[in-house]
Amino acid sequence: MQEELQDEPPKRSKRKEASTIFKISSGNFMEMYDFAVYGFYAAFIAQTFFPSHSDTLAVLKSFLAYGVGFLMRPLGAIFLGAFMDKFGRKKGLLLTLSIMALGTLSIAATPGYEQIGILAPIIVVIGRLLQGFSAGAEVGGASVYLAEVAPKGLKGFYVSWQSGSQQIATVFAGLIGLGIFYLMGDNITSHWGWRIPFFIGVMIIPLILYMRRSLEETPEFASIAHKAPKTLSAMLLSLVQNWKIIILAIMFVMMTTVTFYFITAYTPRFATSALGLNKVDAFTITAIIGLSNLFWLLVSGYLGDKIGRKPIIIVMTILGLITAYPSLTFLTGGDVSFGKVVLVELWLSFIFGAYNGVMVVALSEFVPKEIKALGFSFAYSIAVAIFGGFTPVVSELLIDSTKSAASPAYWLTFAALCSFIASIIVFRKGGIYDKAREKEWNK
């Protein structure tokens, strides 16, 4: 059953459609690239900025700084999301990317703790705060933009490129990591080579800014701009009035964000410290998973346009709920091999990609239209800040406290349970999703 009930946007050439997807998704590429690079080089960043007598404590400090950036996402969602609902998607997406550039540059160029002392970790944390603030509205803004310009019957496929670009970024970051290790070796990489990927990001951002300047505002925003609340306080009031929908939206996102950050940002650390693989194998696995994520995201987004979002979402949350613990138990039991790790990570990748490919567009369809960018961004950011962003820290603590490398499965299972409950409520007959789509139909 087709789920596209809105009026079809003006037809454009295939080339222009592809260009629009590329310009929008490139910002998400950059956001994920920054976060992936930080996760990949967490151990080296810990040595440089967070020295400690314990390697585990140093890495935990590094991941806490990583997680602090996620705590800024809700603030970014509120201010930048409201900005997008008032002044337009295009202006907001240009602003998020500019702030992101400052955060990336601060991490790349800051001297280590040995050179400037306590200022080093302070500057790095500020950089992560800026990255988190900008990311708070980047995903929501990009998803809403793509949903509003998508042709009839292809909304899911269009929006899936938002997440798809993040997987390309993961692969790109992983390949750069492999190249640096092969060319420089572990010693040089640990001292200063890890900074190279950050500087590459700094050089890419101006190009993306230039491309985004040529974007057009979405027709849907132009048609509802006069109906949106005019002040930030009015927008926040609307957010509070729709608190039930926002809470369900947060739960809706939980499985995708926890699974994603486990199989991408945490995989290099998990594979080397808990499973005993070398760094090259860890980066290779991350690149493979990125390609798998991309494939399933696009397939699921397209399939959701044809058969509906609901069946895919319900099935994938059930699979996430019942297979996380058996998968990690199988992985960590007995001898651990490269092939075994890839097999389990590919399974988790399938669950993430197939779920996220339809979850994001479904979320854009049931959040209140007058605060669509704010509502989407806030719910997504809260889920990422509290659950996804701290997945590496929670996983480290679970392994350390239980002495079991399979224990992160508890966290994955909890997230899947929350998303399953939210999905049942959202998609029940005559429920939130049906009412939102009915409003679109009667518009």
Side-chain angles (χ1 to χ4, degrees):
M1 175 184 173
Q2 293 278 359
E3 295 192 0
E4 308 302 329
L5 304 176
Q6 70 183 60
D7 295 333
E8 186 175 359
K11 290 188 176 181
R12 296 170 296 174
S13 67
K14 295 292 183 183
R15 183 175 180 179
K16 189 168 184 179
E17 288 178 357
S19 174
T20 298
I21 292 175
F22 180 77
K23 291 173 183 177
I24 291 297
S25 300
S26 59
N28 278 261
F29 168 94
M30 199 62 245
E31 177 216 333
M32 189 60 235
Y33 175 81
D34 284 344
F35 279 77
V37 165
Y38 192 102
F40 290 166
Y41 294 103
F44 300 144
I45 292 172
Q47 294 171 15
T48 304
F49 299 113
F50 306 96
S52 175
H53 62 279
S54 166
D55 288 342
T56 299
L57 184 58
V59 172
L60 275 174
K61 288 179 180 178
S62 178
F63 275 133
L64 282 171
Y66 181 78
V68 162
F70 288 95
L71 292 178
M72 285 296 288
R73 283 184 175 229
L75 281 178
I78 290 173
F79 290 101
L80 297 177
F83 182 91
M84 291 180 187
D85 281 327
K86 183 174 182 179
F87 297 105
R89 320 305 190 202
K90 174 185 173 179
K91 291 179 180 179
L93 289 170
L94 286 171
L95 181 58
T96 60
L97 199 59
S98 301
I99 297 172
M100 191 186 304
L102 294 175
T104 303
L105 179 61
S106 67
I107 296 174
T110 300
Y113 189 90
E114 290 184 0
Q115 285 75 46
I116 61 173
I118 193 64
L119 278 177
I122 290 175
I123 294 173
V124 168
V125 169
I126 291 173
R128 290 290 300 128
L129 292 175
L130 288 172
Q131 287 181 329
F133 186 81
S134 66
E138 174 64 33
V139 171
S143 299
V144 168
Y145 188 102
L146 289 171
E148 291 180 350
V149 302
K152 188 174 182 179
L154 286 174
K155 184 188 286 189
F157 181 70
Y158 262 54
V159 176
S160 68
W161 277 103
Q162 175 271 122
S163 297
S165 67
Q166 296 183 356
Q167 313 318 309
I168 297 172
T170 301
V171 175
F172 183 59
L175 291 175
I176 289 177
L178 280 173
I180 289 174
F181 272 111
Y182 272 119
L183 295 174
M184 297 184 171
D186 195 73
N187 187 47
I188 295 178
T189 301
S190 66
H191 281 84
W192 59 268
W194 63 266
R195 295 180 184 269
I196 295 175
F198 285 99
F199 279 114
I200 290 174
V202 171
M203 291 186 290
I204 292 174
I205 289 177
L207 176 62
I208 300 175
L209 277 170
Y210 176 77
M211 292 189 299
R212 278 193 171 181
R213 288 182 63 188
S214 63
L215 287 171
E216 300 173 355
E217 190 52 79
T218 69
E220 184 171 328
F221 172 77
S223 68
I224 66 169
H226 64 286
K227 299 179 182 178
K230 299 301 181 183
T231 64
L232 178 60
S233 60
M235 291 182 182
L236 292 177
L237 178 61
S238 181
L239 194 69
V240 172
Q241 289 171 340
N242 290 281
W243 65 271
K244 292 181 181 179
I245 294 177
I246 299 303
I247 289 177
L248 286 171
I250 293 168
M251 295 172 64
F252 202 56
V253 177
M254 280 177 61
M255 187 175 86
T256 202
T257 186
V258 168
T259 305
F260 176 71
Y261 283 101
F262 180 80
I263 63 178
T264 54
Y266 186 61
T267 284
R269 169 69 179 174
F270 182 65
T272 54
S273 66
L275 303 181
L277 299 183
N278 61 51
K279 290 184 175 66
V280 172
D281 284 345
F283 280 118
T284 303
I285 291 169
T286 302
I288 292 172
I289 296 309
L291 291 173
S292 173
N293 289 346
L294 175 62
F295 174 79
W296 290 116
L297 281 164
L298 300 181
V299 169
S300 178
Y302 183 80
L303 188 60
D305 286 327
K306 306 306 174 185
I307 68 171
R309 329 284 187 216
K310 179 179 177 179
I312 300 175
I313 285 175
I314 297 298
V315 169
M316 299 320 298
T317 52
I318 292 173
L319 287 177
L321 182 61
I322 66 176
T323 66
Y325 187 77
S327 296
L328 290 195
T329 300
F330 165 75
L331 172 61
T332 57
D335 294 332
V336 177
S337 65
F338 178 83
K340 198 175 179 182
V341 176
V342 170
L343 180 64
V344 172
E345 291 272 324
L346 283 175
W347 172 251
L348 295 176
S349 166
F350 164 65
I351 291 175
F352 159 76
Y355 180 69
N356 187 272
V358 286
M359 183 279 296
V360 173
V361 67
L363 180 60
S364 75
E365 291 170 332
F366 73 78
V367 293
K369 193 168 186 176
E370 66 276 9
I371 52 165
K372 185 180 284 189
L374 171 59
F376 185 115
S377 298
F378 183 75
Y380 202 98
S381 296
I382 288 290
V384 173
I386 298 176
F387 304 102
F390 284 95
T391 289
V393 174
V394 172
S395 298
E396 284 279 302
L397 292 175
L398 283 171
I399 292 172
D400 188 60
S401 61
T402 64
K403 309 304 178 187
S404 169
S407 58
Y410 300 135
W411 187 237
L412 293 169
T413 302
F414 169 70
L417 175 62
C418 291
S419 291
F420 172 71
I421 293 171
S423 300
I424 294 297
I425 296 173
V426 167
F427 285 108
R428 75 174 185 268
K429 189 174 182 180
I432 293 170
Y433 189 82
D434 285 350
K435 289 178 180 178
R437 304 311 288 147
E438 186 179 352
K439 286 181 181 178
E440 280 291 308
W441 180 261
N442 295 326
K443 180 181 64 173

